[in-house]
Amino acid sequence: MSEMYQKVAYIGLRNPDGSYLTNVPLYVKVSELNQNGLTDMQEELIHKITGIMLQHYQQQFCEFIDNKRKEKKAKELREKSKAKKGGKNNDDC
């Protein structure tokens, strides 16, 4: 019996310098029980795995967006504070 793999998702990776790598496919190993295609059980398993992965990456994406919003608000507050002090800021050394 040969090994079969089903592509279920792609993930985006980054280099250490922050630049993007190409998307990397994620595969699930499935057995070749039905040579004409996937069995209902295999398809159900793939759908479950895909659903779990989607939830995981959706949560990570939401956390990323929240962090970016917090960073933006903090930057705006620093700029307002700097403007009130007459443009002087000790971070400008």
Side-chain angles (χ1 to χ4, degrees):
M1 190 182 305
S2 65
E3 295 180 344
M4 289 179 47
Y5 294 88
Q6 173 68 41
K7 191 180 317 177
V8 294
Y10 285 92
I11 59 170
L13 299 177
R14 290 183 181 233
N15 288 313
D17 66 358
S19 62
Y20 285 102
L21 287 171
T22 57
N23 287 336
V24 178
L26 298 177
Y27 294 90
V28 173
K29 184 177 175 180
V30 293
S31 62
E32 193 176 345
L33 297 176
N34 182 352
Q35 293 181 356
N36 296 328
L38 296 175
T39 65
D40 290 340
M41 186 174 75
Q42 289 170 323
E43 286 202 31
E44 182 181 339
L45 177 63
I46 290 170
H47 287 291
K48 285 181 181 180
I49 291 170
T50 303
I52 291 168
M53 292 173 67
L54 285 172
Q55 289 174 348
H56 175 74
Y57 289 115
Q58 182 179 13
Q59 179 183 3
Q60 282 188 329
F61 183 71
C62 289
E63 289 173 3
F64 174 79
I65 296 298
D66 288 342
N67 288 336
K68 288 296 180 184
R69 286 180 182 156
K70 289 176 186 176
E71 289 174 10
K72 183 179 177 182
K73 286 181 182 180
K75 182 179 178 182
E76 290 171 354
L77 288 173
R78 284 193 305 269
E79 289 174 356
K80 286 180 183 179
S81 176
K82 184 178 175 182
K84 287 182 181 179
K85 292 180 182 178
K88 294 182 181 178
N89 191 339
N90 293 335
D91 294 340
D92 293 337
C93 298

